[in-house]
């Protein structure tokens, strides 16, 4: 497959690029800052582009099968996540390219908590400086849900998403937070990349949110 990754030098994006390359895909990895080109995997096709820019989206997605968005704005600029998602959807609406969005866990429903979502549950509160990002991720999902042309899927990670090991194991869900027998909700970034590449290769989710955790 031909896959483009926006945020290709980021924590999640770089693992997605590595996982895709390890499976033999042709990967275009996009960074916003030319200074970060050297951070990209050497086997990826490097590009400079901003997901908020329609021309950059068009140039980086032409002829591709899937675009994976793993961008994260700087603190204080969280609304950029929404404009980037709008631009990606608008750019891909004239194509048949799928969009897989790495989103946030904030809007997932906590099991057994009467419908409370992660962002409102004291047990799962992100650090204070991540709250604005968590809210932006929730708004990002609404942007996707308003889209009816592009074949998109929005992946909400587990509540705790950190660098770790690639195990290849995970469980999938829809709108409810997946927790283990001790109530923890975790997945490594390496395994989140596995989830994304499995979805890219064997699409199961269309215009919907899904989640993954151990
Ligand atoms: N449990 C959770 O819900 C959870 C936990 C962690 C992460 N996440 C989500 O995972 C996603 C990726 O996070 P991360 O940890 O990988 O972030 P990261 O390490 O900060 O990487 C994000 C990358 O996106 C790039 N970027 C930002 N805005 C862009 C734009 N408009 N166009 C192109 N590239 C852009 C950044 O480039 P610059 O350096 O140029 O800004 C950066 O390289 C985010 O959506 C985040 O919310 C969710």
């Amino acid at each position: 497959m031909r896959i483009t990754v926006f945020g290709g030098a980021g924590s999640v994006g770089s693992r997605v690029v590595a996982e895709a390359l390890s499976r033999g895909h042709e990967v275009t990895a996009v960074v916003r800052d030319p200074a970060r080109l050297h951070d990209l995997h050497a086997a990826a096709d490097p590009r400079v582009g901003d997901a908020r820019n329609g021309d950059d989206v068009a140039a980086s997605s032409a002829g591709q099968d899937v675009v994976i968005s793993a961008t994260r704005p700087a603190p204080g600029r969280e609304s950029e996540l929404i404009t980037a998602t709008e631009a990606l959807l608008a750019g891909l609406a004239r194509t048949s390219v799928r969009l897989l969005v790495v989103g946030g866990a904030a809007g997932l429903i906590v099991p057994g908590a009467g419908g409370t979502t992660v962002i409102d549950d004291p047990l799962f509160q992100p650090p204070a400086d991540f709250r604005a990002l968590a809210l932006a991720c929730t708004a990002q999902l609404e942007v996707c849900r308003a889209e009816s042309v592009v074949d998109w899927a929005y992946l909400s990670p587990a509540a705790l998403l950190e660098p770790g090991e690639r195990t290849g194991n995970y469980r999938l869900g829809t709108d409810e937070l997946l927790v283990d027998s001790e109530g923890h909700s975790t997945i490594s970034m390496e395994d989140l990349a596995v989830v994304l590449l499995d979805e890219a290769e064997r699409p199961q989710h269309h215009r919907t949110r899904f989640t993954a955790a151990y």
Side-chain angles (χ1 to χ4, degrees):
M1 296 180 75
R2 296 166 66 90
I3 299 173
T4 292
V5 181
F6 278 89
S11 303
V12 172
S14 61
R15 289 164 171 84
V16 173
V17 169
E19 179 69 24
L21 288 167
S22 76
R23 298 184 185 207
H25 299 301
E26 288 180 43
V27 181
T28 297
V30 186
V31 293
R32 186 161 55 168
D33 179 357
R36 297 212 65 189
L37 282 168
H38 68 272
D39 291 334
L40 292 173
H41 196 298
D45 177 16
R47 286 278 170 96
V48 175
D50 190 317
R52 294 169 300 161
N53 181 310
D55 291 340
D56 291 352
V57 172
S60 301
S61 59
Q64 303 298 86
D65 298 299
V66 181
V67 167
I68 299 177
S69 167
T71 70
R72 173 185 193 146
R77 305 181 68 101
E78 287 80 7
S79 64
E80 289 184 5
L81 196 60
I82 295 148
T83 46
T85 306
E86 289 171 340
L88 284 162
L89 289 166
L92 298 185
R94 285 161 277 155
T95 72
S96 58
V97 183
R98 287 190 83 207
L99 177 64
L100 303 184
V101 178
V102 179
L108 291 169
I109 296 165
V110 179
T116 304
T117 54
V118 170
I119 187 93
D120 292 323
D121 190 320
L123 278 179
F124 294 102
Q125 282 307 294
D129 47 347
F130 284 157
R131 188 168 173 84
L133 180 65
L135 290 169
C137 286
T138 304
Q140 179 190 36
L141 174 58
E142 293 313 312
V143 169
C144 291
R145 283 181 167 155
E147 167 61 41
S148 58
V149 176
V150 177
D151 183 3
W152 59 268
Y154 179 103
L155 175 57
S156 283
L160 189 61
L161 172 66
E162 291 187 325
E165 287 181 26
R166 182 193 187 286
T167 70
N169 300 318
Y170 60 84
R171 292 181 295 143
L172 292 180
T174 53
D175 290 321
E176 188 167 285
L177 184 75
L178 293 171
V179 295
D180 64 18
S181 57
E182 295 178 344
H184 302 307
S185 173
T186 64
I187 193 164
S188 72
M189 290 182 175
E190 286 74 5
D191 280 327
L192 197 79
V194 172
V195 175
L196 286 159
L197 267 296
D198 286 352
E199 175 67 26
E201 293 173 350
R202 293 179 297 282
Q204 297 183 59
H205 301 92
H206 301 280
R207 294 192 197 112
T208 191
R209 180 247 296 276
F210 67 115
T211 185
Y214 296 130

